[in-house]
Amino acid sequence: MSVFTGSPGGSSGRLVRRVLRLSFGLVLYGVSLALMVRAGLGLGPWDVFHQGVAERTGLSIGTVVIITGAAVLLLWIPLRERPGPGTVANVFVVGLAMDGALALLPEPRAMAVRVPLLVVAVVLNGAATGLYIAARFGPGPRDGLMTGLHRVTGRSVRLVRTGIEVVMLVTGFLLGGTAGAGTVVYALAIGPLAQLFLRLFAVPAPEAPLPEESPEPPGSPGAGPAAGAGTPDCPGEGRDGQAILRP
């Protein structure tokens, strides 16, 4: 069995496209977070926490992202969550890309620059989310924590996710992280943007067999889509897939 998640028997071309989506998506995610930091108008809940810890420890925010991701991944063990190759890559690539981008990006002072920078950052974050989800190489560490707690506690995904992010936001703010208008914009926009880009970047499923090769006619009980093939609203999400909204 392949170590990669996704549809078995996929061509090497599809695998390459998925790897490229994952790699570019994670790098772009880190860059988009760096742009939000430079905009200085507020970060997403987890990144408010990352920034707050960085302020208190003197570590770079990208290093904190990596350490936090690794620590969260350890919490998967008692929750019995199973990481994929993309989960491990996620831990390191996003933080490294974020620090690299911050080293290159100047810090704007004019609001006329900071507001458009925030908008660009949020849109790029949505695009990056769509890319790495479409790759289907495993959920990000923080989303695996969410789904694991959902399964163990029986609480709804929405409630678990909201609880986690409120804790991260409040803790990060108390530590000195930046929360503001950008935090609200991110919270409202990231879901619809991720959904849009997920549809745009989805890797096409393998072609269905010709009618004469199919053992059952269309519309019969066994003629539905294969497990893991995805749905129109969330390509790549099936019985074994997980739709995630951040690394």
Side-chain angles (χ1 to χ4, degrees), residues 41 108-118:
L41 296 173
R109 297 187 180 276
M111 192 63 70
V113 176
R114 293 165 62 195
V115 171
L117 189 61
L118 172 67

Side-chain angles (χ1 to χ4, degrees), residues 17 38 54 94 140 174 185 229-230 236 245:
R17 289 195 297 274
R38 286 292 181 249
V94 172
L174 293 176
V185 171
L245 292 181

Side-chain angles (χ1 to χ4, degrees), residues 175-199:
L175 290 173
T178 305
T183 307
V184 177
V185 171
Y186 181 86
L188 294 176
I190 190 59
L193 285 171
Q195 186 80 356
L196 169 64
F197 285 109
L198 180 57
R199 291 178 177 179

